[in-house]
Amino acid sequence: MTTTENKVPDPELAAAVDTAGGATAPGIATGYEGTIGDQFRAYIARVRSGEMGMLPAIGGFIVLCILFEILTQGDFLGLLNVSNLITQTAFLAMLAVALVFVILLGEIDLSAGVTAGVGMAVFVQLNNSLHINWFLALIVSLVVGIVIGGFIGYFVAKVGIPSFVVTLGLFLGFQGLQLVLLGNGNSYRITDPSVLAIENSNMPVWAGWLMWAVIVLVSLGSAFYDRTRRQRAGVPVRPISMLAIRVGAVAVFTGIIVALLNQDRSVSVVPVQGVPIVVPIVLAILWIATQVLDRTRWGLHLYAVGGNPEAARRAGISVAAIRISAFVLCSTLAIVSGLFQASEVGVVGSSFGQTDVLNGVAAAVVGGVSLFGGRGRLVQGVVGALVITAITNGLGLMSLPGGVNLLITGGVLILAATVDALSRKRAGASLARV
Amino acid sequence: MVAPIIELRDVRKSFGPVDVLKGVNLKVYPGQVSALVGDNGAGKSTLIKGLAGVQPYDSGETLIDGSPAHLATPKEASRLGIEVVYQDLALCENLDIVQNMFLGREETHQGTLSNGEMEKHASATLGSLSVRTMKSVRQKVSSLSGGQRQTVAIARAVLQKAKVVILDEPTAALGVAQTEQVLNLVRRLADQGVGVLIISHNLADVFQVADHINVLYLGTMVAQLETKETNNNDVIGYITGLKSVEPSAAGAAR
Ligand SMILES: Nc1ncnc2c1ncn2[C@@H]1O[C@H](COP(=O)(O)OP(=O)(O)OP(=O)(O)O)[C@@H](O)[C@H]1O
Ligand SMILES: [Mg+2]
């Protein structure tokens, strides 16, 4: 992406305009002023006006947890199942995060699942058949993802074909490519211990606590960094107690999870304990990607293009470059999700990933990401994935027939979309009232 | 006589078989307000979209400060100091006021957005527009009224050090007080030496604020008048096509 010459706003002009007009300082707030109470009331007001974000998803998740805990007589929130739930969520969470990048643009990638399949087909051929080191093999499959994303992005942004059509084409085509790459009906076992470890092994207890310390320090550090930067710019900051509460909440919440996962959850004599290895990997990717979305011009421009592409174009943003880069990220992260899934199930067959993409889209929607583009955050994809995986997991524990699972997942999806639509209608109504 | 900061010569634009601009000449002077009037569909917005680089002309010459310029992209126009307030405002509803005001020209420090600085500059500019009705500069544009949105679009244009500010019906959605503010601002911008081109259907506004009045009729510039040498009825005559071009008069105006 090219950078524009940054013109500094003209303080003289602003000042001259100000005095000439005899205008007084307007005192428009920034949303950062006031006590904790004010901040809390402002937050409630935002929620009530329809900006609910992932609140419904979190609420839904809590309800599901209570429900399943009762129905399974305590199995659902047992130590073993909590850790299972986390590892089972990892791949769908990654897929949803990948999809959020393009959904934020109001686009869709129906081929994300089969892209993961193609990536993993390449991976197992390199790793199993050619005995190439797993890391190199992964790099190659990620490059495959970059190429696929670039291909989709080119056809969407430059040729002007709707992403639904381009990726539907790839969804069909890649199923054939998977067969070609793996051979009809063949499936390959994942044998590399490093890859299997991602989903099936846990970190030592000390490493879990180290991860916790890093999380707390990073959230503390970035909160202070933002605060000092705002202070240096001479704009209001939130009360320091609010920062303390925020970081404290993160510390307590993650601390509880780490403590639980560090307990022995074995059902046999061999102890099983520690945070699953996949957890820090997902958190690291999520954190980095979120920073990029929140703090860079690229991230802001992604939201701008999703909100109003014509306005973005007129503001000098290269809309095509933003679109292509989002599809590249989506396909590449989809292959990472494929790696998690391969590690979890231990085999890569010629139909790998073919039924996953709609679950990924559902996860994003349940998390509160708008399919119309411009509204949503990456973490919402993770929360949505947690909800959907919890349904599968909980019903699995109750050993209900598979059909029920799909029915309920579908129902939850429609429910989530309804909550979103109603909240926005309400926001519209309140806007009209004022 | 001041040299024009923008001069368009024989500018043409068609959409398929429809000729929207049929060889238009226009001059905008620094420190002066030029109005562009004409009936609906006359081609006013099309004319300024060419200047903004969002919809380049098919042919014709564009001179900026006397030298030929090629306005093929919005970036190019912005680099040359041309800022535009579009009729449709061109705001991103999902972003907040500050983000919209700085869109495409964000301030950064080591690659990350300088949100505090941008917030401060945005507040100062809004203050200069005497905006009092907005709760917070971090409010999403989707939660603003039509008039408030219009103010944000104008604030976006005056935020940057522009040589030329073009406003496409900036007062259409505004109330009486806010309209007065905007017209004052237009005058003040011109007093700063900025060349202002304003499109408006409200002739009272035009007569109040403009130094020159350019009338576009079905894609042709039918009159270029000095405000103090003309009157309401004449301008209406040109706009409606009842009064036709007087080459000598139009020429003498320059
Ligand atoms: N993108 C386009 N494609 C086809 N025709 C267009 C396009 N843009 C404008 N036109 C046509 O060009 C003519 C002039 O449009 P324009 O928007 O410039 O008018 P205007 O003078 O700004 O009118 P108004 O006062 O209603 O804003 C109209 O007939 C319109 O239909
Ligand atoms: Mg127009």
Side-chain angles (χ1 to χ4, degrees), chain A residues 18-204:
Chain A
D18 196 5
T19 47
T24 49
I28 308 170
T30 60
Y32 283 77
E33 302 83 351
T35 62
I36 299 186
D38 298 337
Q39 292 284 339
F40 185 70
R41 274 187 292 278
Y43 174 71
I44 298 290
R46 274 205 303 282
V47 169
R48 286 178 61 115
S49 76
E51 279 181 50
M52 295 209 281
M54 55 183 179
L55 275 188
I58 292 177
F61 180 68
I62 293 173
V63 170
L64 279 175
C65 282
I66 296 171
L67 213 63
F68 281 131
E69 179 70 1
I70 296 169
L71 290 174
T72 62
Q73 277 128 28
D75 282 351
F76 185 76
L77 291 179
L79 284 180
L80 187 60
N81 196 52
V82 167
S83 108
N84 279 346
L85 185 60
I86 288 173
T87 50
Q88 285 165 8
T89 304
F91 110 86
L92 189 61
M94 209 62 241
L95 186 61
V97 165
L99 285 163
V100 169
F101 280 101
V102 295
I103 294 176
L104 278 178
L105 290 175
E107 308 282 352
I108 194 76
D109 183 359
L110 293 177
S111 65
V114 287
T115 294
V118 168
M120 282 305 105
V122 170
F123 179 86
V124 290
Q125 285 296 12
L126 293 176
N127 189 232
N128 291 30
S129 309
L130 299 175
H131 305 292
I132 291 174
N133 170 281
W134 74 271
F135 191 73
L136 281 180
L138 178 62
I139 298 286
V140 174
S141 17
L142 291 179
V143 170
V144 169
I146 293 173
V147 173
I148 294 173
F151 179 89
I152 302 172
Y154 176 82
F155 276 92
V156 173
K158 294 285 188 184
V159 184
I161 308 175
S163 55
F164 187 92
V165 177
V166 177
T167 60
L168 182 61
L170 289 187
F171 174 69
L172 299 173
F174 280 177
Q175 300 187 12
L177 187 57
Q178 285 177 294
L179 284 174
V180 172
L181 284 171
L182 292 180
N184 209 347
N186 279 355
S187 57
Y188 288 74
R189 259 182 194 295
I190 298 288
T191 49
D192 192 292
S194 305
V195 176
L196 286 173
I198 296 173
E199 284 275 346
N200 302 297
S201 302
N202 305 306
M203 298 194 295

Side-chain angles (χ1 to χ4, degrees), chain A residues 2-10 12-18 20-32 51 225 229-230 232-236 293-297 300-301 303-318 373-375 431, chain B residues 49 53-55 74-75 78-79 81 83 86 88 90-92 94-95 99 102-117 119-121 123-128 130-132 134-138 140 142-144 149 156 158-161 185 188-189 192:
Chain A
T2 55
T3 50
T4 44
E5 179 197 354
N6 255 331
K7 283 182 295 176
V8 230
D10 184 2
E12 278 165 59
L13 176 63
V17 163
D18 196 5
T24 49
I28 308 170
T30 60
Y32 283 77
E51 279 181 50
Y225 174 73
R229 249 179 107 167
R230 283 188 68 88
R232 216 172 287 153
V235 288
L293 266 188
D294 285 357
R295 292 177 190 268
T296 67
R297 301 181 77 203
L300 182 61
H301 293 176
Y303 279 95
V305 172
N308 186 345
E310 177 60 18
R313 185 178 80 88
R314 291 190 199 167
I317 294 170
S318 171
R375 298 191 330 149
L431 205 68
Chain B
K49 278 183 186 160
V54 303
Q55 211 177 67
K75 255 184 199 161
S78 165
R79 200 178 59 77
E83 288 296 325
Y86 295 95
D88 59 8
L91 299 171
C92 293
N94 58 328
L95 301 184
Q99 289 169 330
F102 277 91
L103 193 61
R105 60 289 282 276
E106 296 84 5
E107 292 173 20
T108 55
H109 174 71
Q110 293 173 350
T112 59
L113 298 168
S114 299
N115 287 318
E117 279 81 359
E119 208 171 284
K120 203 164 84 177
H121 295 141
S123 295
T125 306
L126 286 169
S128 73
S130 305
V131 178
R132 293 194 183 78
M134 288 170 203
K135 278 206 298 283
S136 151
V137 285
R138 286 293 175 192
K140 293 246 156 61
S142 59
S143 69
L144 298 179
R149 288 175 199 211
R156 173 180 159 78
V158 301
L159 180 69
Q160 305 295 319
K161 197 179 213 159
L185 172 85
R188 278 181 265 142
L189 282 174
Q192 296 284 315

Side-chain angles (χ1 to χ4, degrees), chain A residues 168-341:
Chain A
L168 182 61
L170 289 187
F171 174 69
L172 299 173
F174 280 177
Q175 300 187 12
L177 187 57
Q178 285 177 294
L179 284 174
V180 172
L181 284 171
L182 292 180
N184 209 347
N186 279 355
S187 57
Y188 288 74
R189 259 182 194 295
I190 298 288
T191 49
D192 192 292
S194 305
V195 176
L196 286 173
I198 296 173
E199 284 275 346
N200 302 297
S201 302
N202 305 306
M203 298 194 295
V205 168
W206 64 265
W209 287 117
L210 179 67
M211 178 189 91
W212 174 77
V214 169
I215 292 173
V216 174
L217 281 180
V218 164
S219 46
L220 191 67
S222 75
F224 262 108
Y225 174 73
D226 287 344
R227 194 182 157 83
T228 18
R229 249 179 107 167
R230 283 188 68 88
Q231 277 171 333
R232 216 172 287 153
V235 288
V237 289
R238 297 208 171 93
I240 190 113
S241 48
M242 210 165 134
L243 187 156
I245 292 176
R246 259 217 172 121
V247 176
V250 169
V252 170
F253 180 73
T254 50
I256 290 174
I257 305 270
V258 170
L260 285 176
L261 290 173
N262 274 344
Q263 306 279 313
D264 182 10
R265 52 180 176 270
S266 173
V267 285
S268 66
V269 281
V270 196
V272 177
Q273 63 188 138
V275 177
I277 288 175
V278 73
V279 171
I281 303 178
V282 170
L283 288 182
I285 294 174
L286 180 67
W287 185 77
I288 292 171
T290 303
Q291 298 307 306
V292 171
L293 266 188
D294 285 357
R295 292 177 190 268
T296 67
R297 301 181 77 203
W298 180 85
L300 182 61
H301 293 176
L302 187 88
Y303 279 95
V305 172
N308 186 345
E310 177 60 18
R313 185 178 80 88
R314 291 190 199 167
I317 294 170
S318 171
V319 176
I322 296 282
R323 289 204 171 118
I324 292 173
S325 54
F327 278 106
V328 165
L329 267 174
C330 175
S331 300
T332 312
L333 289 178
I335 288 180
V336 175
S337 87
L339 182 74
F340 294 168
Q341 196 182 13

Side-chain angles (χ1 to χ4, degrees), chain B residues 44-45 87 168-169:
Chain B
K44 305 182 296 294
S45 295
Q87 190 169 10
D168 195 348
E169 303 196 21

